Amino acid sequence: MADHFLTLDSLGPTGVREILDLSHRFKREPDRHRGALAGGRVGMIFDKPSTRTRVSLEDAAWALGMLPIVLRPDELQLGHGETVADTARVLSRYLSALTIRTFAHARVEELAAHATIPIINALTDEHHPCQALADVMTLEEVFGDLRGRRIAFVGDGNNVAHSLIQAAGSLGFTLVVATPEGYRPDAAIVAAAREHASASGGAVEVVGDPRVAVAGADAVYTDVWASMGKEHEREERRRVFAGYTVDAAMMAAAGPGAIFLHCLPAHRGDEVTDEVIDGPGSRVWDQAENRVYTEQALLYALITGDRLGARLG
Ligand code: CP
Ligand code: NVA
């Protein structure tokens, strides 16, 4: 059975560590793995828009020597009567791996259940594990070992928050999530991460007050208040999330030298001010760049099974 990457937990704590180590190495030594998967093909289904994920995945595939094939929903028979299972069976005969960005997480699970090639979640309503790999890589570039570090996530308890919660559980840092009531992260995801955290030394806290979350934080992370598919709630959410904007005062309430992270796209003036995202503590462009190395590592490791990069010398 192929290894899939549906959530950050799919890899297990050891697997996450291995992919991150490979990602750092791929960034340091960009030539060692160039063309390592020559002749491979990776399909990429996008049911939602994307700038970073699409371009970084194509970039990663190209660097490894693979043909990237981007598939928009209107170009596929999926959605015109063909089932997810049959799509998975057929695409498995053509491709080395398949990435999918879609709405319901169950759709990705169904694809994985019927595919014989690795399926990579490129964002669902519930998870964004590719993003979490780049987030952690960026944090490690600044802080080294994350054990004992405190990261604040301020905003909606969404897909990005869920994947970061899983990262805290497996890598042993403390994540404090601040959301308004009614926008909390999924309780089952939090509970599972807390269980993993008991082994890794990490912790996951969920609070209402953003000032409590950022106090003493090494990094402050935020994301859009209305994710893709929730755009119709934007005005209501602007009212509910008033007070959750990461501005200079919020950053000043964080630990000394705290950095700012955002998965992007940012809605400047809502969840973050220009002053913060363009300020000296912002690492958002490194974070976006790191999507390429983490996805190279992911594609390489899942397709070859060589998670340590041993075959690359
Ligand atoms: N962060 C991220 O996934 O961005 P895109 O929606 O542009 O892919
Ligand atoms: N939470 C956001 C992330 C975008 C990369 C969304 O799902 O729209």
Side-chain angles (χ1 to χ4, degrees):
M1 213 191 76
D3 266 354
H4 302 299
F5 185 58
L6 308 191
T7 75
L8 202 75
D9 282 354
S10 304
L11 296 172
T14 310
V16 172
R17 188 62 265 153
E18 288 166 350
I19 299 291
L20 284 165
D21 288 345
L22 207 52
S23 306
H24 287 292
R25 179 173 152 192
F26 281 8
K27 186 170 184 176
R28 270 196 320 270
E29 303 171 4
D31 291 329
R32 181 87 50 104
H33 57 288
R34 196 164 294 283
L37 297 180
R41 286 94 44 213
V42 56
M44 301 171 186
I45 299 177
F46 281 96
D47 290 339
K48 291 178 176 179
S50 170
T51 297
R52 280 143 289 270
T53 307
R54 180 195 163 155
V55 178
S56 61
L57 275 170
E58 283 205 59
D59 186 327
W62 181 253
L64 291 164
M66 303 174 84
L67 171 71
I69 305 171
V70 175
L71 301 159
R72 303 285 308 176
D74 55 325
E75 296 167 341
L76 288 168
Q77 300 290 8
L78 186 68
H80 298 277
E82 188 161 26
T83 65
V84 170
D86 287 351
T87 304
R89 292 181 184 110
V90 170
L91 292 182
S92 293
R93 300 291 176 107
Y94 303 140
L95 303 171
S96 322
L98 177 65
T99 77
I100 175 165
R101 165 169 290 199
T102 193
F103 294 85
H105 190 73
R107 193 172 168 86
V108 179
E109 290 175 332
E110 193 183 350
L111 204 53
H114 298 280
T116 54
I117 54 170
I119 300 296
I120 295 173
N121 177 358
L123 181 147
T124 59
D125 289 344
E126 262 189 62
H127 294 275
H128 196 1
C130 289
Q131 181 65 51
L133 288 175
D135 300 341
V136 172
M137 180 178 179
T138 310
L139 287 163
E140 288 183 344
E141 286 179 332
V142 178
F143 300 115
D145 190 341
L146 297 184
R147 281 172 295 185
R149 294 285 177 179
R150 181 182 168 97
I151 315 300
F153 181 94
V154 176
D156 185 24
N158 61 15
N159 44 10
V160 168
H162 288 156
S163 292
L164 272 179
I165 287 168
Q166 293 192 332
S170 58
L171 292 164
F173 60 88
T174 295
L175 183 72
V176 191
V177 180
T179 76
E181 197 66 52
Y183 295 85
R184 297 272 143 95
D186 183 282
I189 292 174
V190 172
R194 284 186 176 146
E195 204 162 303
H196 294 149
S198 61
S200 67
V204 178
E205 295 167 31
V206 181
V207 301
D209 185 346
R211 294 301 174 113
V212 169
V214 303
D218 297 296
V220 179
Y221 196 126
T222 191
D223 181 20
V224 291
W225 292 337
S227 285
M228 290 179 276
K230 302 268 189 220
E231 290 88 348
H232 59 287
E233 296 179 15
R234 182 163 290 144
E235 284 315 312
E236 184 195 339
R237 284 172 178 252
R238 275 199 174 120
R239 281 191 294 278
V240 174
F241 285 84
Y244 285 77
T245 302
V246 179
D247 56 13
M250 183 110 50
M251 288 305 293
I259 64 164
F260 172 75
L261 296 177
H262 191 311
C263 60
L264 307 176
H267 287 212
R268 291 165 175 256
D270 282 347
E271 76 274 5
V272 63
T273 60
D274 288 338
E275 199 180 3
V276 169
I277 197 169
D278 297 328
S282 176
R283 292 287 179 281
V284 300
W285 317 121
D286 291 341
Q287 199 182 349
E289 180 186 338
N290 286 338
R291 296 291 305 273
V292 174
Y293 314 110
T294 46
E295 285 155 12
Q296 285 175 353
L298 198 57
L299 286 169
Y300 176 80
L302 292 187
I303 292 170
T304 63
D306 175 26
R307 290 184 176 186
L308 301 177
R311 289 185 215 157
L312 295 169

PDB file of all heavy atoms in Angstrom, residues 48-49 52-53 101 123-125 128 131 156 158-161 223-229 231 263-265 291, ligand 2:
ATOM      1  N   LYS A  48     -10.073  24.246  -5.571  1.00  0.00           N
ATOM      2  CA  LYS A  48     -10.104  25.598  -4.999  1.00  0.00           C
ATOM      3  C   LYS A  48      -8.916  26.361  -5.584  1.00  0.00           C
ATOM      4  O   LYS A  48      -7.934  25.743  -5.991  1.00  0.00           O
ATOM      5  CB  LYS A  48      -9.922  25.549  -3.473  1.00  0.00           C
ATOM      6  CG  LYS A  48     -11.060  24.952  -2.676  1.00  0.00           C
ATOM      7  CD  LYS A  48     -10.683  24.931  -1.180  1.00  0.00           C
ATOM      8  CE  LYS A  48     -11.819  24.429  -0.325  1.00  0.00           C
ATOM      9  NZ  LYS A  48     -11.446  24.380   1.120  1.00  0.00           N
ATOM     10  N   PRO A  49      -8.962  27.688  -5.556  1.00  0.00           N
ATOM     11  CA  PRO A  49      -7.827  28.454  -6.085  1.00  0.00           C
ATOM     12  C   PRO A  49      -6.549  28.237  -5.272  1.00  0.00           C
ATOM     13  O   PRO A  49      -6.606  27.787  -4.124  1.00  0.00           O
ATOM     14  CB  PRO A  49      -8.266  29.920  -5.943  1.00  0.00           C
ATOM     15  CG  PRO A  49      -9.677  29.913  -5.515  1.00  0.00           C
ATOM     16  CD  PRO A  49     -10.030  28.554  -5.024  1.00  0.00           C
ATOM     17  N   ARG A  52       0.410  29.707  -4.004  1.00  0.00           N
ATOM     18  CA  ARG A  52       1.608  29.080  -3.460  1.00  0.00           C
ATOM     19  C   ARG A  52       1.645  27.576  -3.678  1.00  0.00           C
ATOM     20  O   ARG A  52       2.669  27.025  -4.127  1.00  0.00           O
ATOM     21  CB  ARG A  52       1.721  29.349  -1.942  1.00  0.00           C
ATOM     22  CG  ARG A  52       2.275  30.707  -1.602  1.00  0.00           C
ATOM     23  CD  ARG A  52       1.580  31.248  -0.387  1.00  0.00           C
ATOM     24  NE  ARG A  52       0.222  31.589  -0.769  1.00  0.00           N
ATOM     25  CZ  ARG A  52      -0.141  32.789  -1.224  1.00  0.00           C
ATOM     26  NH1 ARG A  52       0.716  33.748  -1.279  1.00  0.00           N
ATOM     27  NH2 ARG A  52      -1.390  33.033  -1.611  1.00  0.00           N
ATOM     28  N   THR A  53       0.557  26.887  -3.324  1.00  0.00           N
ATOM     29  CA  THR A  53       0.592  25.426  -3.357  1.00  0.00           C
ATOM     30  C   THR A  53       0.783  24.932  -4.780  1.00  0.00           C
ATOM     31  O   THR A  53       1.592  24.046  -5.045  1.00  0.00           O
ATOM     32  CB  THR A  53      -0.695  24.866  -2.727  1.00  0.00           C
ATOM     33  OG1 THR A  53      -0.833  25.450  -1.439  1.00  0.00           O
ATOM     34  CG2 THR A  53      -0.652  23.363  -2.601  1.00  0.00           C
ATOM     35  N   ARG A 101      -6.366  19.420  -3.764  1.00  0.00           N
ATOM     36  CA  ARG A 101      -6.918  20.497  -2.918  1.00  0.00           C
ATOM     37  C   ARG A 101      -8.423  20.492  -3.152  1.00  0.00           C
ATOM     38  O   ARG A 101      -8.875  20.656  -4.291  1.00  0.00           O
ATOM     39  CB  ARG A 101      -6.322  21.851  -3.299  1.00  0.00           C
ATOM     40  CG  ARG A 101      -7.102  23.016  -2.724  1.00  0.00           C
ATOM     41  CD  ARG A 101      -6.403  24.337  -2.870  1.00  0.00           C
ATOM     42  NE  ARG A 101      -5.240  24.398  -2.011  1.00  0.00           N
ATOM     43  CZ  ARG A 101      -4.640  25.547  -1.659  1.00  0.00           C
ATOM     44  NH1 ARG A 101      -5.110  26.710  -2.085  1.00  0.00           N
ATOM     45  NH2 ARG A 101      -3.588  25.530  -0.871  1.00  0.00           N
ATOM     46  N   LEU A 123      -4.651  20.723   0.799  1.00  0.00           N
ATOM     47  CA  LEU A 123      -5.601  21.540   1.584  1.00  0.00           C
ATOM     48  C   LEU A 123      -7.008  20.989   1.439  1.00  0.00           C
ATOM     49  O   LEU A 123      -7.483  20.747   0.323  1.00  0.00           O
ATOM     50  CB  LEU A 123      -5.600  23.023   1.175  1.00  0.00           C
ATOM     51  CG  LEU A 123      -6.535  23.981   1.958  1.00  0.00           C
ATOM     52  CD1 LEU A 123      -5.917  25.385   2.079  1.00  0.00           C
ATOM     53  CD2 LEU A 123      -7.912  24.076   1.308  1.00  0.00           C
ATOM     54  N   THR A 124      -7.617  20.765   2.593  1.00  0.00           N
ATOM     55  CA  THR A 124      -9.049  20.484   2.644  1.00  0.00           C
ATOM     56  C   THR A 124      -9.652  21.469   3.648  1.00  0.00           C
ATOM     57  O   THR A 124      -8.928  22.237   4.294  1.00  0.00           O
ATOM     58  CB  THR A 124      -9.342  19.047   3.131  1.00  0.00           C
ATOM     59  OG1 THR A 124      -8.774  18.886   4.451  1.00  0.00           O
ATOM     60  CG2 THR A 124      -8.760  18.004   2.210  1.00  0.00           C
ATOM     61  N   ASP A 125     -10.972  21.411   3.814  1.00  0.00           N
ATOM     62  CA  ASP A 125     -11.612  22.288   4.802  1.00  0.00           C
ATOM     63  C   ASP A 125     -11.043  22.033   6.207  1.00  0.00           C
ATOM     64  O   ASP A 125     -11.064  22.919   7.044  1.00  0.00           O
ATOM     65  CB  ASP A 125     -13.129  22.048   4.835  1.00  0.00           C
ATOM     66  CG  ASP A 125     -13.809  22.573   3.579  1.00  0.00           C
ATOM     67  OD1 ASP A 125     -13.178  23.364   2.846  1.00  0.00           O
ATOM     68  OD2 ASP A 125     -14.972  22.182   3.327  1.00  0.00           O
ATOM     69  N   HIS A 128      -4.359  21.339   6.446  1.00  0.00           N
ATOM     70  CA  HIS A 128      -3.429  21.859   5.436  1.00  0.00           C
ATOM     71  C   HIS A 128      -2.014  21.408   5.827  1.00  0.00           C
ATOM     72  O   HIS A 128      -1.153  22.196   6.213  1.00  0.00           O
ATOM     73  CB  HIS A 128      -3.510  23.382   5.372  1.00  0.00           C
ATOM     74  CG  HIS A 128      -2.910  23.981   4.138  1.00  0.00           C
ATOM     75  ND1 HIS A 128      -2.343  23.218   3.126  1.00  0.00           N
ATOM     76  CD2 HIS A 128      -2.783  25.281   3.731  1.00  0.00           C
ATOM     77  CE1 HIS A 128      -1.905  24.029   2.169  1.00  0.00           C
ATOM     78  NE2 HIS A 128      -2.150  25.274   2.506  1.00  0.00           N
ATOM     79  N   GLN A 131       1.263  22.904   4.368  1.00  0.00           N
ATOM     80  CA  GLN A 131       1.574  24.212   4.941  1.00  0.00           C
ATOM     81  C   GLN A 131       2.296  24.049   6.279  1.00  0.00           C
ATOM     82  O   GLN A 131       3.282  24.735   6.553  1.00  0.00           O
ATOM     83  CB  GLN A 131       0.275  25.002   5.139  1.00  0.00           C
ATOM     84  CG  GLN A 131       0.481  26.386   5.697  1.00  0.00           C
ATOM     85  CD  GLN A 131       1.248  27.287   4.743  1.00  0.00           C
ATOM     86  OE1 GLN A 131       0.906  27.397   3.582  1.00  0.00           O
ATOM     87  NE2 GLN A 131       2.299  27.918   5.220  1.00  0.00           N
ATOM     88  N   ASP A 156      -9.054  32.086  13.395  1.00  0.00           N
ATOM     89  CA  ASP A 156     -10.061  31.046  13.203  1.00  0.00           C
ATOM     90  C   ASP A 156      -9.436  29.667  13.478  1.00  0.00           C
ATOM     91  O   ASP A 156      -8.323  29.403  13.020  1.00  0.00           O
ATOM     92  CB  ASP A 156     -10.551  31.143  11.744  1.00  0.00           C
ATOM     93  CG  ASP A 156     -11.685  30.191  11.430  1.00  0.00           C
ATOM     94  OD1 ASP A 156     -12.402  29.783  12.374  1.00  0.00           O
ATOM     95  OD2 ASP A 156     -11.868  29.865  10.244  1.00  0.00           O
ATOM     96  N   ASN A 158      -9.138  26.887  12.113  1.00  0.00           N
ATOM     97  CA  ASN A 158      -9.415  26.319  10.777  1.00  0.00           C
ATOM     98  C   ASN A 158      -8.426  25.210  10.398  1.00  0.00           C
ATOM     99  O   ASN A 158      -7.706  24.673  11.251  1.00  0.00           O
ATOM    100  CB  ASN A 158      -9.402  27.471   9.750  1.00  0.00           C
ATOM    101  CG  ASN A 158      -8.042  28.169   9.686  1.00  0.00           C
ATOM    102  OD1 ASN A 158      -7.036  27.655  10.173  1.00  0.00           O
ATOM    103  ND2 ASN A 158      -7.999  29.329   9.058  1.00  0.00           N
ATOM    104  N   ASN A 159      -8.398  24.920   9.102  1.00  0.00           N
ATOM    105  CA  ASN A 159      -7.522  23.872   8.564  1.00  0.00           C
ATOM    106  C   ASN A 159      -6.040  24.109   8.913  1.00  0.00           C
ATOM    107  O   ASN A 159      -5.324  23.177   9.296  1.00  0.00           O
ATOM    108  CB  ASN A 159      -7.707  23.750   7.038  1.00  0.00           C
ATOM    109  CG  ASN A 159      -7.764  25.097   6.304  1.00  0.00           C
ATOM    110  OD1 ASN A 159      -7.487  26.158   6.880  1.00  0.00           O
ATOM    111  ND2 ASN A 159      -8.147  25.052   5.029  1.00  0.00           N
ATOM    112  N   VAL A 160      -5.597  25.356   8.790  1.00  0.00           N
ATOM    113  CA  VAL A 160      -4.189  25.675   9.076  1.00  0.00           C
ATOM    114  C   VAL A 160      -3.910  25.474  10.570  1.00  0.00           C
ATOM    115  O   VAL A 160      -2.886  24.898  10.958  1.00  0.00           O
ATOM    116  CB  VAL A 160      -3.880  27.120   8.608  1.00  0.00           C
ATOM    117  CG1 VAL A 160      -2.540  27.601   9.125  1.00  0.00           C
ATOM    118  CG2 VAL A 160      -3.922  27.184   7.083  1.00  0.00           C
ATOM    119  N   ALA A 161      -4.852  25.910  11.406  1.00  0.00           N
ATOM    120  CA  ALA A 161      -4.703  25.716  12.857  1.00  0.00           C
ATOM    121  C   ALA A 161      -4.652  24.220  13.180  1.00  0.00           C
ATOM    122  O   ALA A 161      -3.819  23.777  13.975  1.00  0.00           O
ATOM    123  CB  ALA A 161      -5.866  26.379  13.595  1.00  0.00           C
ATOM    124  N   ASP A 223      -4.103  33.584  10.216  1.00  0.00           N
ATOM    125  CA  ASP A 223      -4.582  33.180   8.891  1.00  0.00           C
ATOM    126  C   ASP A 223      -5.877  33.947   8.644  1.00  0.00           C
ATOM    127  O   ASP A 223      -6.433  34.562   9.575  1.00  0.00           O
ATOM    128  CB  ASP A 223      -4.799  31.650   8.885  1.00  0.00           C
ATOM    129  CG  ASP A 223      -5.268  31.121   7.529  1.00  0.00           C
ATOM    130  OD1 ASP A 223      -5.084  31.813   6.509  1.00  0.00           O
ATOM    131  OD2 ASP A 223      -5.835  29.996   7.489  1.00  0.00           O
ATOM    132  N   VAL A 224      -6.371  33.867   7.434  1.00  0.00           N
ATOM    133  CA  VAL A 224      -7.622  34.577   7.095  1.00  0.00           C
ATOM    134  C   VAL A 224      -8.750  34.184   8.051  1.00  0.00           C
ATOM    135  O   VAL A 224      -8.788  33.061   8.555  1.00  0.00           O
ATOM    136  CB  VAL A 224      -8.075  34.280   5.649  1.00  0.00           C
ATOM    137  CG1 VAL A 224      -7.125  34.911   4.653  1.00  0.00           C
ATOM    138  CG2 VAL A 224      -8.223  32.789   5.396  1.00  0.00           C
ATOM    139  N   TRP A 225      -9.671  35.105   8.269  1.00  0.00           N
ATOM    140  CA  TRP A 225     -10.828  34.809   9.129  1.00  0.00           C
ATOM    141  C   TRP A 225     -11.894  34.006   8.378  1.00  0.00           C
ATOM    142  O   TRP A 225     -12.625  33.243   8.987  1.00  0.00           O
ATOM    143  CB  TRP A 225     -11.423  36.126   9.642  1.00  0.00           C
ATOM    144  CG  TRP A 225     -10.518  36.847  10.588  1.00  0.00           C
ATOM    145  CD1 TRP A 225      -9.510  36.311  11.347  1.00  0.00           C
ATOM    146  CD2 TRP A 225     -10.534  38.253  10.889  1.00  0.00           C
ATOM    147  NE1 TRP A 225      -8.913  37.286  12.100  1.00  0.00           N
ATOM    148  CE2 TRP A 225      -9.514  38.483  11.839  1.00  0.00           C
ATOM    149  CE3 TRP A 225     -11.306  39.334  10.446  1.00  0.00           C
ATOM    150  CZ2 TRP A 225      -9.255  39.749  12.366  1.00  0.00           C
ATOM    151  CZ3 TRP A 225     -11.044  40.592  10.961  1.00  0.00           C
ATOM    152  CH2 TRP A 225     -10.026  40.801  11.909  1.00  0.00           C
ATOM    153  N   ALA A 226     -11.992  34.233   7.065  1.00  0.00           N
ATOM    154  CA  ALA A 226     -12.980  33.499   6.255  1.00  0.00           C
ATOM    155  C   ALA A 226     -12.230  32.691   5.202  1.00  0.00           C
ATOM    156  O   ALA A 226     -11.754  33.228   4.207  1.00  0.00           O
ATOM    157  CB  ALA A 226     -13.960  34.461   5.593  1.00  0.00           C
ATOM    158  N   SER A 227     -12.112  31.397   5.442  1.00  0.00           N
ATOM    159  CA  SER A 227     -11.380  30.519   4.526  1.00  0.00           C
ATOM    160  C   SER A 227     -12.163  30.309   3.236  1.00  0.00           C
ATOM    161  O   SER A 227     -13.358  30.643   3.159  1.00  0.00           O
ATOM    162  CB  SER A 227     -11.149  29.162   5.199  1.00  0.00           C
ATOM    163  OG  SER A 227     -10.142  29.271   6.173  1.00  0.00           O
ATOM    164  N   MET A 228     -11.492  29.713   2.251  1.00  0.00           N
ATOM    165  CA  MET A 228     -12.153  29.427   0.977  1.00  0.00           C
ATOM    166  C   MET A 228     -13.389  28.561   1.226  1.00  0.00           C
ATOM    167  O   MET A 228     -13.308  27.560   1.935  1.00  0.00           O
ATOM    168  CB  MET A 228     -11.180  28.707   0.038  1.00  0.00           C
ATOM    169  CG  MET A 228     -10.073  29.605  -0.452  1.00  0.00           C
ATOM    170  SD  MET A 228      -8.897  28.751  -1.526  1.00  0.00           S
ATOM    171  CE  MET A 228      -7.799  27.987  -0.330  1.00  0.00           C
ATOM    172  N   GLY A 229     -14.505  28.976   0.672  1.00  0.00           N
ATOM    173  CA  GLY A 229     -15.782  28.292   0.913  1.00  0.00           C
ATOM    174  C   GLY A 229     -16.614  29.009   1.956  1.00  0.00           C
ATOM    175  O   GLY A 229     -17.800  28.739   2.107  1.00  0.00           O
ATOM    176  N   GLU A 231     -16.489  32.483   2.201  1.00  0.00           N
ATOM    177  CA  GLU A 231     -16.410  33.903   1.829  1.00  0.00           C
ATOM    178  C   GLU A 231     -17.710  34.636   2.139  1.00  0.00           C
ATOM    179  O   GLU A 231     -17.688  35.821   2.475  1.00  0.00           O
ATOM    180  CB  GLU A 231     -16.066  34.055   0.339  1.00  0.00           C
ATOM    181  CG  GLU A 231     -14.643  33.650  -0.022  1.00  0.00           C
ATOM    182  CD  GLU A 231     -14.482  32.174  -0.368  1.00  0.00           C
ATOM    183  OE1 GLU A 231     -15.422  31.384  -0.119  1.00  0.00           O
ATOM    184  OE2 GLU A 231     -13.410  31.806  -0.884  1.00  0.00           O
ATOM    185  N   CYS A 263       0.260  31.892   6.647  1.00  0.00           N
ATOM    186  CA  CYS A 263       0.377  30.964   5.510  1.00  0.00           C
ATOM    187  C   CYS A 263       0.180  31.679   4.184  1.00  0.00           C
ATOM    188  O   CYS A 263       0.636  31.192   3.159  1.00  0.00           O
ATOM    189  CB  CYS A 263      -0.622  29.827   5.665  1.00  0.00           C
ATOM    190  SG  CYS A 263      -2.337  30.390   5.725  1.00  0.00           S
ATOM    191  N   LEU A 264      -0.513  32.835   4.209  1.00  0.00           N
ATOM    192  CA  LEU A 264      -0.886  33.606   3.014  1.00  0.00           C
ATOM    193  C   LEU A 264      -1.910  32.806   2.191  1.00  0.00           C
ATOM    194  O   LEU A 264      -1.849  31.581   2.215  1.00  0.00           O
ATOM    195  CB  LEU A 264       0.337  33.983   2.176  1.00  0.00           C
ATOM    196  CG  LEU A 264       1.458  34.707   2.941  1.00  0.00           C
ATOM    197  CD1 LEU A 264       2.660  34.921   1.999  1.00  0.00           C
ATOM    198  CD2 LEU A 264       0.988  36.055   3.493  1.00  0.00           C
ATOM    199  N   PRO A 265      -2.810  33.419   1.489  1.00  0.00           N
ATOM    200  CA  PRO A 265      -2.885  34.857   1.230  1.00  0.00           C
ATOM    201  C   PRO A 265      -3.384  35.630   2.459  1.00  0.00           C
ATOM    202  O   PRO A 265      -4.231  35.124   3.198  1.00  0.00           O
ATOM    203  CB  PRO A 265      -3.921  34.957   0.095  1.00  0.00           C
ATOM    204  CG  PRO A 265      -4.801  33.750   0.277  1.00  0.00           C
ATOM    205  CD  PRO A 265      -3.897  32.672   0.800  1.00  0.00           C
ATOM    206  N   ARG A 291       7.792  26.254   1.170  1.00  0.00           N
ATOM    207  CA  ARG A 291       6.839  25.287   0.613  1.00  0.00           C
ATOM    208  C   ARG A 291       7.541  24.426  -0.442  1.00  0.00           C
ATOM    209  O   ARG A 291       7.249  23.234  -0.559  1.00  0.00           O
ATOM    210  CB  ARG A 291       5.642  26.025  -0.021  1.00  0.00           C
ATOM    211  CG  ARG A 291       4.784  26.831   0.957  1.00  0.00           C
ATOM    212  CD  ARG A 291       4.017  25.941   1.896  1.00  0.00           C
ATOM    213  NE  ARG A 291       3.222  24.974   1.196  1.00  0.00           N
ATOM    214  CZ  ARG A 291       1.972  25.196   0.755  1.00  0.00           C
ATOM    215  NH1 ARG A 291       1.381  26.345   1.008  1.00  0.00           N
ATOM    216  NH2 ARG A 291       1.299  24.253   0.110  1.00  0.00           N
TER     217      ARG A 291
HETATM  218  N1  NVA B   2      -7.486  28.793   5.803  1.00  0.00           N
HETATM  219  C1  NVA B   2      -7.220  29.219   4.452  1.00  0.00           C
HETATM  220  C2  NVA B   2      -5.857  28.811   4.030  1.00  0.00           C
HETATM  221  C3  NVA B   2      -5.466  29.235   2.638  1.00  0.00           C
HETATM  222  C4  NVA B   2      -4.115  28.748   2.244  1.00  0.00           C
HETATM  223  C5  NVA B   2      -8.288  28.664   3.522  1.00  0.00           C
HETATM  224  O1  NVA B   2      -8.625  27.484   3.663  1.00  0.00           O
HETATM  225  O2  NVA B   2      -8.778  29.400   2.672  1.00  0.00           O
END
